[in-house]
Amino acid sequence: MFKSIPLATALLLTSSATLANEQPNWATCIADLQKTAKSEGLSQQTIDTTLANVKFVPRVIELDNKQPEFSQSFENYFTKRVTDWRVEQGRKLYKEHKVLLDKLAKEYGVPPQYLLAFWGLETNFGSYKGKMPVLDSLATLACDPRRSRYFTQELMQALKLKERYNFAETDMVGSWAGAMGHTQFMPSAYAEYAVDGDGDGKADLWNSTTDALTSAAHFLQNLGWKRNERWGREVTLPADFSYTHLGKAEAQPLTRWAELGIKQTSGLPLSTPDMQAALYLPSGHTGPAFLGYDNFDVIMRWNRSTFYAIAVGHLADRINGAVALKVAPPKMPNLSRARVKELQIQLNDRGYDVGKPDGILGSKSVKGLQAYQKSQGLVADGYPDESTFKALNVK
Ligand code: CA
């Protein structure tokens, strides 16, 4: 959570070669971390034993520095995450944990299907919690200049958790970036939002599903989850739709979307309570369209990815009995960074300012692309399909 760590990463990292002291300045860095730990009020024993013994893990740096060569197409992302197996498993686990989940819905306002969807997406309902020693990973990242400050704070929180709950180092395992347990909480979220749901005196997100689900509900409540509201929904756009308002920055009142002819996929009109909603087309105009409500933004505070938010929302709906998407995500190639970068260069050359070309399709690029598509009589959905690449002479 807090960063996109693909589940696949957790799967691959069941073991890692640890080569101590390969990192230059490791000893100096650990000495500095020990000072920080002291000023943070950690005990001398933790500092002398735990912190002095953390190991540098080259693989963690390798993974952290890895620049993806492409961004996955929505179809590739979505079909791997929202699977029939996960839907079935979610329904089965709802029955199994019904008393708890219904209680959590009442207490925290987050319905069962959402908690199950997060659990399913984060760790396949607890099957893949990650096996990397968290303190080693965090110390390694804290000693790397890239995001030293953030990971130093997370390391301090992890050490405090260790003291507070008397966890063994060997039990504190997780993703390469330090996310832990059934719902992959980073240490700071663990420290602040984990709840001892089963009342054994310890918030244990690795071994207690009750603690983990209660903590997820508590966390979502604190991220601003709105009771009695959906995440959003798949919608049907009218044939002549103009795609002027795309994404979070262009959110509109639901009444406005209804005026523009957007309907529920059943054909029924949108219900129009006084709410803002943003339109998302994760695979362009040929794919499914979604309106994201306030709870969509809450999901994105857990993981800043629109694909993730759609996957959580839809998996939750499916667990709750809904059918598959009306418009299946179309098969599309993954977007290579090099290709998107070339597209950005071409747009800039033609006077559509999309900022410094970086190979990532951000909101500025989408805007520029839409303006270009419009000028060429292409569908102005801001999605670089093959006809757009062709028009811009991008191979
Ligand atoms: Ca507990």
Side-chain angles (χ1 to χ4, degrees):
M1 69 198 308
F2 292 142
K3 57 197 298 288
S4 272
I5 301 160
L7 190 59
T9 313
L11 293 175
L12 290 170
L13 297 178
T14 47
S15 72
S16 71
T18 30
L19 301 170
N21 299 322
E22 262 203 358
Q23 167 86 330
N25 306 323
W26 177 253
T28 320
C29 178
I30 294 299
D32 287 346
L33 288 172
Q34 286 176 310
K35 276 181 215 148
T36 308
K38 195 161 180 77
S39 70
E40 293 263 340
L42 283 143
S43 77
Q44 197 58 46
Q45 201 206 340
T46 302
I47 293 167
D48 290 343
T49 56
T50 311
L51 192 49
N53 290 325
V54 290
K55 290 181 191 69
F56 175 67
V57 189
R59 179 83 181 125
V60 168
I61 298 294
E62 210 178 293
L63 287 165
D64 192 46
N65 288 332
K66 209 167 155 187
Q67 293 273 0
E69 283 166 33
F70 59 81
S71 50
Q72 255 186 337
S73 74
F74 179 65
E75 192 255 346
N76 276 336
Y77 179 95
F78 185 83
T79 52
K80 282 193 191 82
R81 284 166 182 78
V82 182
T83 62
D84 288 343
W85 184 86
R86 280 203 183 143
V87 172
E88 288 311 315
Q89 198 63 14
R91 290 174 183 170
K92 203 180 117 205
L93 287 165
Y94 176 54
K95 283 186 195 140
E96 209 171 292
H97 298 281
K98 189 173 186 313
V99 174
L100 169 70
L101 288 164
D102 290 348
K103 184 179 106 149
L104 295 176
K106 212 177 262 174
E107 202 172 327
Y108 296 100
V110 186
Q113 66 269 26
Y114 290 99
L115 298 177
L116 292 161
F118 277 103
W119 191 17
L121 259 88
E122 289 293 335
T123 59
N124 221 13
F125 307 105
S127 314
Y128 306 112
K129 298 195 282 273
K131 293 182 180 173
M132 310 263 300
V134 160
L135 297 174
D136 290 351
S137 296
L138 292 172
T140 300
L141 290 162
C143 290
D144 185 63
R146 285 215 320 153
R147 285 178 293 163
S148 175
R149 184 198 287 255
Y150 170 74
F151 284 109
T152 299
Q153 281 165 0
E154 292 297 333
L155 175 62
M156 294 306 139
Q157 291 297 339
L159 291 167
K160 285 177 191 174
L161 283 172
K162 188 185 179 305
E163 281 193 350
R164 177 163 153 200
Y165 295 118
N166 199 23
F167 291 135
E169 279 117 288
T170 45
D171 291 338
M172 295 182 78
V173 291
S175 78
W176 65 266
M180 298 175 284
H182 281 275
T183 46
Q184 297 286 281
F185 275 29
M186 288 299 287
S188 52
Y190 201 128
E192 197 160 352
Y193 302 110
V195 178
D196 175 21
D198 60 17
D200 71 345
K202 216 180 230 204
D204 182 347
L205 301 188
W206 293 278
N207 302 303
S208 165
T209 50
T210 303
D211 288 3
L213 291 169
T214 309
S215 302
H218 182 228
F219 188 41
L220 285 165
Q221 182 194 44
N222 277 275
L223 292 177
W225 189 271
K226 294 209 167 156
R227 198 181 271 269
N228 303 325
E229 281 186 17
R230 296 173 51 81
W231 63 278
R233 63 166 76 247
E234 188 193 1
V235 291
T236 302
L237 308 179
D240 57 349
F241 195 71
S242 75
Y243 306 101
T244 312
H245 308 294
L246 281 184
K248 175 68 185 153
E250 296 279 344
Q252 306 288 320
L254 272 175
T255 46
R256 178 77 189 123
W257 290 124
E259 279 164 23
L260 290 170
I262 293 185
K263 290 191 162 67
Q264 296 190 31
T265 50
S266 62
L268 289 170
L270 289 176
S271 57
T272 50
D274 182 19
M275 274 165 67
Q276 293 282 113
L279 180 63
Y280 298 97
L281 300 174
S283 28
H285 71 282
T286 61
F290 302 92
L291 284 181
Y293 306 160
D294 286 344
N295 283 336
F296 189 90
D297 301 333
V298 174
I299 302 173
M300 285 192 58
R301 279 173 218 136
W302 180 302
N303 182 330
R304 289 169 52 83
S305 151
T306 52
F307 287 10
Y308 180 86
I310 292 168
V312 165
H314 182 64
L315 179 58
D317 283 351
R318 294 285 307 278
I319 290 170
N320 202 31
V323 293
L325 292 177
K326 175 105 173 176
V327 176
K331 273 205 185 306
M332 283 187 163
N334 294 329
L335 279 178
S336 93
R337 256 185 108 136
R339 216 169 170 215
V340 171
K341 197 169 173 180
E342 184 55 33
L343 176 117
Q344 291 168 321
I345 291 168
Q346 295 297 332
L347 286 170
N348 278 336
D349 280 358
R350 286 165 176 76
Y352 300 92
D353 177 19
V354 298
K356 191 177 180 306
D358 58 1
I360 296 164
L361 211 60
S363 55
K364 203 168 181 185
S365 295
V366 170
K367 277 248 171 251
L369 186 52
Q370 279 187 288
Y372 172 75
Q373 287 169 324
K374 206 168 179 182
S375 77
Q376 299 298 302
L378 297 163
V379 178
D381 61 0
Y383 192 85
D385 61 359
E386 286 309 314
S387 58
T388 306
F389 279 123
K390 203 175 161 199
L392 284 163
N393 293 320
V394 177
K395 294 269 179 301

